[in-house]
PDB file of all heavy atoms in Angstrom:
ATOM      1  N   ALA A   2     223.804 169.082 -29.684  1.00  0.00           N
ATOM      2  CA  ALA A   2     223.260 169.670 -30.902  1.00  0.00           C
ATOM      3  C   ALA A   2     224.388 170.314 -31.700  1.00  0.00           C
ATOM      4  O   ALA A   2     225.214 171.031 -31.160  1.00  0.00           O
ATOM      5  CB  ALA A   2     222.213 170.717 -30.551  1.00  0.00           C
ATOM      6  N   GLY A  13     232.641 156.970 -47.756  1.00  0.00           N
ATOM      7  CA  GLY A  13     232.896 155.798 -46.922  1.00  0.00           C
ATOM      8  C   GLY A  13     232.270 155.974 -45.549  1.00  0.00           C
ATOM      9  O   GLY A  13     231.093 156.283 -45.421  1.00  0.00           O
ATOM     10  N   GLY A  92     248.734 166.355 -27.779  1.00  0.00           N
ATOM     11  CA  GLY A  92     247.428 166.960 -27.980  1.00  0.00           C
ATOM     12  C   GLY A  92     246.794 166.576 -29.296  1.00  0.00           C
ATOM     13  O   GLY A  92     245.698 167.022 -29.619  1.00  0.00           O
ATOM     14  N   LEU A 108     246.466 180.223 -41.897  1.00  0.00           N
ATOM     15  CA  LEU A 108     246.774 179.256 -40.844  1.00  0.00           C
ATOM     16  C   LEU A 108     245.795 178.101 -40.929  1.00  0.00           C
ATOM     17  O   LEU A 108     244.616 178.292 -41.245  1.00  0.00           O
ATOM     18  CB  LEU A 108     246.662 179.912 -39.463  1.00  0.00           C
ATOM     19  CG  LEU A 108     247.685 180.988 -39.163  1.00  0.00           C
ATOM     20  CD1 LEU A 108     247.308 181.726 -37.887  1.00  0.00           C
ATOM     21  CD2 LEU A 108     249.059 180.382 -39.038  1.00  0.00           C
TER      22      LEU A 108
END
Side-chain angles (χ1 to χ4, degrees):
L108 293 170

